[in-house]
Coordinates of all heavy atoms in Angstrom, one line a residue:
P147 N 1.9 -0.6 17.9 CA 1.1 0.7 18.1 C -0.1 0.7 18.9 O -1.0 1.7 18.7 CB 0.8 0.7 16.5 CG 0.6 -0.6 16.1 CD 1.6 -1.3 16.8
D148 N -0.3 -0.3 19.8 CA -1.5 -0.2 20.7 C -1.6 0.9 21.5 O -0.7 1.3 22.2 CB -1.4 -1.5 21.6 CG -2.6 -1.9 22.2 OD1 -3.4 -0.9 22.6 OD2 -3.0 -3.1 22.3
R149 N -2.7 1.7 21.3 CA -2.9 2.9 22.0 C -2.8 2.7 23.6 O -2.2 3.5 24.3 CB -4.3 3.5 21.7 CG -4.8 4.6 22.7 CD -4.0 5.9 22.5 NE -4.4 7.0 23.4 CZ -5.2 7.9 23.0 NH1 -5.8 8.0 21.8 NH2 -5.6 8.8 23.9
A150 N -3.3 1.6 24.1 CA -3.1 1.3 25.5 C -1.6 1.3 25.9 O -1.3 1.6 27.2 CB -3.8 0.0 25.9
A151 N -0.8 0.8 25.1 CA 0.6 0.8 25.5 C 1.3 2.1 25.7 O 2.0 2.4 26.5 CB 1.5 0.1 24.3
F152 N 0.9 3.1 24.8 CA 1.3 4.4 24.9 C 0.7 5.1 26.2 O 1.4 5.8 26.9 CB 0.8 5.2 23.7 CG 1.6 5.0 22.4 CD1 1.1 4.2 21.5 CD2 2.8 5.6 22.3 CE1 1.8 4.0 20.4 CE2 3.6 5.3 21.1 CZ 3.0 4.6 20.2
D153 N -0.7 4.8 26.4 CA -1.3 5.3 27.7 C -0.6 5.0 28.9 O -0.5 5.7 29.9 CB -2.7 4.9 27.8 CG -3.7 5.6 26.6 OD1 -3.3 6.7 26.3 OD2 -4.7 5.0 26.3
R154 N -0.1 3.7 28.9 CA 0.4 3.1 30.2 C 1.8 3.8 30.4 O 2.2 4.3 31.4 CB 0.8 1.6 30.0 CG -0.6 0.8 30.3 CD -0.3 -0.7 30.3 NE -1.4 -1.5 30.4 CZ -1.4 -2.8 30.9 NH1 -0.3 -3.4 31.2 NH2 -2.5 -3.4 30.8
V155 N 2.7 3.8 29.3 CA 4.0 4.4 29.4 C 4.0 5.9 29.7 O 4.7 6.4 30.5 CB 4.8 4.1 28.2 CG1 6.1 5.0 28.1 CG2 5.2 2.7 28.1
F156 N 3.0 6.6 28.9 CA 3.1 8.1 29.1 C 2.5 8.4 30.5 O 2.8 9.4 31.2 CB 2.3 8.7 28.1 CG 3.0 8.7 26.6 CD1 2.3 8.9 25.5 CD2 4.3 8.3 26.6 CE1 2.9 8.8 24.3 CE2 4.9 8.2 25.3 CZ 4.3 8.5 24.1
G157 N 1.4 7.6 31.1 CA 0.9 7.7 32.3 C 2.0 7.5 33.4 O 2.1 8.3 34.3
L158 N 2.7 6.5 33.1 CA 3.9 6.2 34.1 C 4.9 7.4 34.2 O 5.4 7.7 35.2 CB 4.6 4.9 33.6 CG 5.7 4.4 34.6 CD1 5.2 4.1 35.9 CD2 6.3 3.3 33.7
D159 N 5.2 8.0 33.0 CA 6.2 9.1 33.0 C 5.5 10.3 33.4 O 6.3 11.2 34.0 CB 6.6 9.2 31.5 CG 7.8 10.1 31.3 OD1 8.9 9.7 31.7 OD2 7.6 11.3 31.0
G160 N 4.2 10.5 33.3 CA 3.6 11.8 33.7 C 3.7 12.9 32.6 O 3.3 14.1 33.0
L161 N 4.0 12.6 31.4 CA 4.2 13.6 30.4 C 2.7 14.0 29.9 O 1.8 13.2 30.0 CB 5.0 13.3 29.3 CG 4.7 12.0 28.3 CD1 3.6 12.5 27.2 CD2 5.8 11.5 27.5
T162 N 2.8 15.2 29.4 CA 1.4 15.7 28.8 C 1.6 15.7 27.2 O 2.4 16.3 26.6 CB 1.3 17.2 29.2 OG1 1.2 17.3 30.6 CG2 -0.1 17.7 28.6
P163 N 0.8 14.7 26.7 CA 1.1 14.5 25.1 C 0.9 15.8 24.3 O 1.7 16.0 23.3 CB -0.1 13.5 24.8 CG -0.3 12.8 26.0 CD -0.1 13.7 27.2
A164 N 0.1 16.8 24.7 CA -0.1 18.0 24.0 C 1.1 18.8 24.0 O 1.3 19.7 23.2 CB -1.4 18.7 24.4
R165 N 2.1 18.5 24.9 CA 3.3 19.3 25.0 C 4.5 18.3 24.6 O 5.6 18.5 25.2 CB 3.4 19.9 26.4 CG 2.4 20.9 26.7 CD 2.6 21.5 28.0 NE 4.0 22.3 28.0 CZ 4.0 23.6 27.5 NH1 3.1 24.2 26.9 NH2 5.4 24.1 27.5
A166 N 4.3 17.3 23.8 CA 5.4 16.4 23.6 C 5.4 16.1 22.1 O 4.6 16.3 21.3 CB 5.0 15.0 24.3
A167 N 6.7 15.6 21.7 CA 6.9 15.2 20.4 C 7.4 13.8 20.4 O 8.1 13.3 21.3 CB 8.0 16.1 19.7
M168 N 7.0 13.1 19.2 CA 7.4 11.6 19.1 C 8.4 11.4 17.9 O 7.9 11.9 16.7 CB 6.2 10.7 19.1 CG 6.5 9.2 18.9 SD 6.8 8.4 20.5 CE 7.5 6.9 20.1
F169 N 9.4 10.8 18.1 CA 10.4 10.4 16.9 C 10.3 8.9 16.7 O 10.8 8.2 17.6 CB 11.7 11.0 17.2 CG 11.8 12.4 17.3 CD1 11.4 13.0 18.5 CD2 12.2 13.2 16.3 CE1 11.6 14.6 18.6 CE2 12.3 14.6 16.3 CZ 11.9 15.3 17.5
E170 N 10.1 8.5 15.4 CA 9.8 7.0 15.4 C 10.0 6.6 13.9 O 9.6 7.3 12.9 CB 8.3 6.8 15.8 CG 7.8 5.4 15.3 CD 8.3 4.2 16.3 OE1 8.2 4.3 17.5 OE2 8.7 3.4 15.6
D171 N 10.5 5.5 13.7 CA 10.8 5.0 12.3 C 9.6 4.3 11.7 O 9.4 4.2 10.5 CB 12.0 4.0 12.3 CG 11.8 2.7 12.8 OD1 11.5 2.7 14.0 OD2 11.8 1.7 12.1
D172 N 8.7 3.6 12.7 CA 7.6 2.9 12.0 C 6.4 3.8 12.0 O 5.9 4.2 13.1 CB 7.3 1.6 12.9 CG 6.4 0.7 12.3 OD1 5.5 1.1 11.4 OD2 6.3 -0.5 12.8
P173 N 5.8 4.1 10.8 CA 4.7 5.0 10.7 C 3.5 4.5 11.5 O 2.7 5.4 12.1 CB 4.3 5.0 9.2 CG 5.6 4.5 8.5 CD 6.3 3.6 9.5
R174 N 3.4 3.2 11.6 CA 2.2 2.7 12.5 C 2.2 3.3 14.0 O 1.1 3.4 14.6 CB 2.2 1.2 12.7 CG 2.0 0.5 11.2 CD 2.2 -0.9 11.5 NE 3.4 -1.5 12.2 CZ 3.5 -2.7 12.8 NH1 2.6 -3.6 12.5 NH2 4.6 -3.0 13.3
N175 N 3.4 3.4 14.4 CA 3.6 3.8 15.8 C 3.5 5.2 16.0 O 3.8 5.8 17.2 CB 5.0 3.4 16.2 CG 5.2 1.7 16.3 OD1 4.1 1.0 16.1 ND2 6.2 1.2 16.3
L176 N 3.1 6.0 15.0 CA 2.8 7.5 15.2 C 1.4 7.8 15.1 O 1.0 8.9 15.4 CB 3.5 8.3 14.0 CG 5.1 8.2 14.1 CD1 5.7 9.0 12.8 CD2 5.6 9.1 15.3
I177 N 0.5 6.9 14.9 CA -0.9 7.0 14.8 C -1.5 7.4 16.1 O -2.2 8.4 16.3 CB -1.7 5.8 14.3 CG1 -1.2 5.4 12.8 CG2 -3.1 5.9 14.3 CD1 -1.8 4.2 12.2
A178 N -1.1 6.7 17.3 CA -1.6 6.9 18.6 C -1.0 8.2 19.1 O -1.8 9.1 19.5 CB -1.4 5.8 19.5
P179 N 0.2 8.5 19.0 CA 0.8 9.8 19.4 C 0.1 11.0 18.7 O -0.2 12.0 19.4 CB 2.2 9.7 19.1 CG 2.6 8.2 19.1 CD 1.4 7.5 18.6
H180 N -0.2 10.8 17.5 CA -0.7 12.0 16.8 C -2.2 12.2 17.3 O -2.7 13.3 17.6 CB -0.9 11.7 15.3 CG -1.6 12.6 14.4 ND1 -3.0 12.6 14.2 CD2 -1.2 13.8 13.8 CE1 -3.3 13.6 13.5 NE2 -2.3 14.4 13.3
A181 N -2.9 11.1 17.5 CA -4.2 11.2 18.2 C -4.3 11.8 19.5 O -5.4 12.4 20.1 CB -4.9 9.8 18.1
M182 N -3.1 11.6 20.2 CA -3.1 12.1 21.5 C -2.7 13.6 21.5 O -2.6 14.3 22.8 CB -2.1 11.2 22.3 CG -2.5 9.7 22.5 SD -1.1 8.8 23.1 CE -1.2 9.0 24.8
G183 N -2.3 14.2 20.5 CA -2.0 15.5 20.4 C -0.5 15.9 20.3 O -0.2 17.0 20.4
M184 N 0.4 14.8 20.0 CA 1.7 15.0 20.0 C 2.3 15.4 18.6 O 1.6 15.1 17.6 CB 2.5 13.7 20.4 CG 2.1 13.1 21.9 SD 2.9 11.6 22.0 CE 4.7 12.1 22.2
K185 N 3.3 16.2 18.5 CA 4.0 16.3 17.3 C 4.6 15.1 16.9 O 5.2 14.4 17.7 CB 5.0 17.5 17.3 CG 4.5 18.9 17.5 CD 3.9 19.3 16.1 CE 3.5 20.7 16.2 NZ 2.7 21.1 15.0
T186 N 4.5 14.8 15.6 CA 5.0 13.4 15.1 C 6.1 13.6 14.0 O 5.9 14.3 13.2 CB 4.0 12.5 14.6 OG1 3.3 13.1 13.6 CG2 2.9 12.2 15.8
V187 N 7.2 12.9 14.2 CA 8.3 12.9 13.3 C 8.7 11.5 12.8 O 9.1 10.8 13.6 CB 9.5 13.6 13.9 CG1 10.7 13.8 12.9 CG2 9.2 15.0 14.5
H188 N 8.6 11.3 11.5 CA 8.9 10.0 10.9 C 10.4 10.0 10.7 O 10.8 10.8 9.7 CB 8.0 9.8 9.7 CG 8.4 8.5 9.1 ND1 8.2 8.2 7.7 CD2 8.6 7.3 9.6 CE1 8.5 7.1 7.4 NE2 8.7 6.4 8.6
V189 N 11.2 9.2 11.2 CA 12.5 9.1 11.0 C 12.9 7.9 10.2 O 12.8 6.7 10.6 CB 13.3 9.0 12.4 CG1 14.9 9.0 12.0 CG2 13.0 10.2 13.2
A190 N 13.1 8.0 8.9 CA 13.3 6.8 8.0 C 13.9 7.3 6.7 O 13.7 8.5 6.3 CB 11.9 6.2 7.7
P191 N 14.5 6.4 6.0 CA 15.2 6.9 4.6 C 14.1 7.3 3.7 O 14.3 8.2 2.8 CB 15.8 5.6 4.1 CG 16.1 4.6 5.4 CD 14.9 5.1 6.3
A192 N 12.9 6.7 3.7 CA 11.8 7.0 2.7 C 10.7 7.8 3.4 O 10.2 7.4 4.5 CB 11.3 5.7 2.0
R193 N 10.2 8.7 2.7 CA 9.0 9.5 3.2 C 7.8 8.8 3.1 O 7.5 8.0 2.1 CB 9.0 10.9 2.4 CG 7.7 11.7 2.9 CD 7.7 12.9 2.0 NE 8.8 13.7 2.1 CZ 8.9 14.7 3.0 NH1 8.0 15.0 4.0 NH2 10.1 15.5 3.0
R194 N 7.0 8.9 4.1 CA 5.6 8.2 4.1 C 4.6 9.3 4.4 O 4.5 9.9 5.5 CB 5.4 7.2 5.0 CG 4.1 6.5 5.1 CD 3.9 5.5 4.0 NE 4.9 4.5 4.1 CZ 4.8 3.4 4.9 NH1 3.7 3.1 5.6 NH2 5.7 2.3 4.9
D195 N 3.9 9.8 3.3 CA 2.9 10.8 3.6 C 1.7 10.3 4.1 O 1.0 9.2 3.7 CB 2.5 11.4 2.1 CG 3.7 12.3 1.5 OD1 4.4 12.8 2.3 OD2 3.8 12.1 0.3

Side-chain angles (χ1 to χ4, degrees):
D148 193 318
R149 170 64 183 265
F152 289 96
D153 287 337
R154 287 194 186 191
V155 169
F156 294 166
L158 180 64
D159 191 79
L161 67 80
T162 301
R165 298 185 60 82
M168 181 85 195
F169 297 80
E170 167 74 56
D171 72 297
D172 189 338
R174 302 179 304 171
N175 296 343
L176 291 173
I177 294 173
H180 179 270
M182 299 168 81
M184 300 176 74
K185 283 290 183 185
T186 58
V187 183
H188 182 215
V189 183
R193 177 183 298 273
R194 181 76 62 87
D195 292 322

